[in-house]
């Protein structure tokens, strides 16, 4: 006789027969690396919560995206992809994208981040002006350089808008700014 904990129903079960596939409970969490993580990343990207690379690696960006989804859906924000999160995500619509809406200024196709040498172009100036407008006052100098002050203000903006505070402007942060 087999004894196992049935996470779906929350109780210990004795089984003589083989477990049906729909009863198998699995979790994905930080540190996992497999194709199921890639599938999760694609789902999160489609829903508007993940803007990272599909790399099959459940790292901090994937965990933050799962937590953002869980928060938006009123679930416990543990960052793991378990049965409750799976069930809700199965029927989820792109609520985050609908909430954000399309960008007025199209995303240029590359991330803005703190580098050495610093990024310097007109789009950085657009980001700086948008940060100042969002704050309602000047929080960063508009100099077209993506330096430490701009990166810090991007992180603050991301926290205020329930985005991953990675201090980088990717497609999701861009679409909330513009």
């Amino acid at each position: 006789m087999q004894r196992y904990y049935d996470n779906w129903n929350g109780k210990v079960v004795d089984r003589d027969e083989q477990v049906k596939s729909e009863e198998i409970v699995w979790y994905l969490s930080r540190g996992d690396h497999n194709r199921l993580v890639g599938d999760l990343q694609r789902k999160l990207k489609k829903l508007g919560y993940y803007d990272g690379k599909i790399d099959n690696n459940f790292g901090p960006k994937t965990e933050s995206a799962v937590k953002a989804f869980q928060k938006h859906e009123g679930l416990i924000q543990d960052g793991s992809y378990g049965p409750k999160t799976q069930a809700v995500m199965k029927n989820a619509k792109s609520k985050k994208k609908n909430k954000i809406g399309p960008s007025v200024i199209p995303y240029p196709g590359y991330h803005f981040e703190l580098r050495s040498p610093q990024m310097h172009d007109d789009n950085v100036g657009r980001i700086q002006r948008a940060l100042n407008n969002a704050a309602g006052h000047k929080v960063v100098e508009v100099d077209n350089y993506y330096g430490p002050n701009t990166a810090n203000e991007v992180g603050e903006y991301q926290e205020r808008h329930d985005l991953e505070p990675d201090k980088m402007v990717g497609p999701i942060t861009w679409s909330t700014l513009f």
Side-chain angles (χ1 to χ4, degrees):
M1 177 155 330
Q2 243 180 356
R3 284 185 72 99
Y4 72 96
Y5 185 77
D6 182 348
N7 286 317
W8 195 260
N9 295 311
K11 60 185 176 183
V12 175
V13 179
D14 292 327
R15 289 277 183 171
D16 286 327
E17 70 273 5
Q18 188 175 3
V19 177
K20 297 176 189 167
S21 65
E22 64 268 10
E23 292 177 336
I24 296 173
V25 176
W26 50 273
Y27 288 80
L28 293 174
S29 59
R30 194 169 186 166
D32 287 340
H33 186 86
N34 56 53
R35 69 170 181 75
L36 294 174
V37 175
D39 293 343
L40 171 61
Q41 290 170 329
R42 276 186 277 287
K43 287 177 192 175
L44 289 165
K45 186 171 273 209
K46 183 177 178 184
L47 293 171
Y49 293 93
Y50 182 73
D51 67 350
K53 182 180 171 188
I54 307 298
D55 60 3
N56 297 339
N57 183 34
F58 202 119
K61 287 189 91 152
T62 305
E63 183 179 54
S64 292
V66 171
K67 284 182 179 180
F69 173 80
Q70 290 169 328
K71 180 177 183 179
H72 188 262
E73 296 295 333
L75 299 169
I76 294 171
Q77 299 166 49
D78 62 4
S80 66
Y81 186 59
K84 289 183 181 177
T85 302
Q86 292 168 27
V88 173
M89 194 175 288
K90 187 176 185 179
N91 299 314
K93 304 288 184 230
S94 297
K95 293 179 182 178
K96 194 130 180 117
K97 283 188 177 175
N98 292 341
K99 179 179 157 192
I100 293 169
S103 294
V104 175
I105 301 171
Y107 179 64
Y110 54 92
H111 281 68
F112 297 87
E113 59 189 307
L114 189 57
R115 296 183 188 164
S116 180
Q118 294 176 357
M119 295 181 79
H120 180 248
D121 70 18
D122 291 340
N123 285 318
V124 175
R126 287 185 178 105
I127 292 167
Q128 292 167 330
R129 282 189 290 283
L131 291 168
N132 289 336
N133 289 338
H137 62 283
K138 185 176 178 178
V139 294
V140 66
E141 187 70 35
V142 179
D143 61 4
N144 293 357
Y145 283 95
Y146 201 97
N149 293 338
T150 301
N152 289 334
E153 287 304 323
V154 167
E156 294 289 323
Y157 176 87
Q158 290 168 324
E159 285 184 13
R160 287 192 305 271
H161 290 84
D162 295 324
L163 301 171
E164 179 184 348
D166 59 9
K167 299 183 180 183
M168 296 187 303
V169 179
I172 294 173
T173 301
W174 181 275
S175 68
T176 64
L177 282 166
F178 301 104

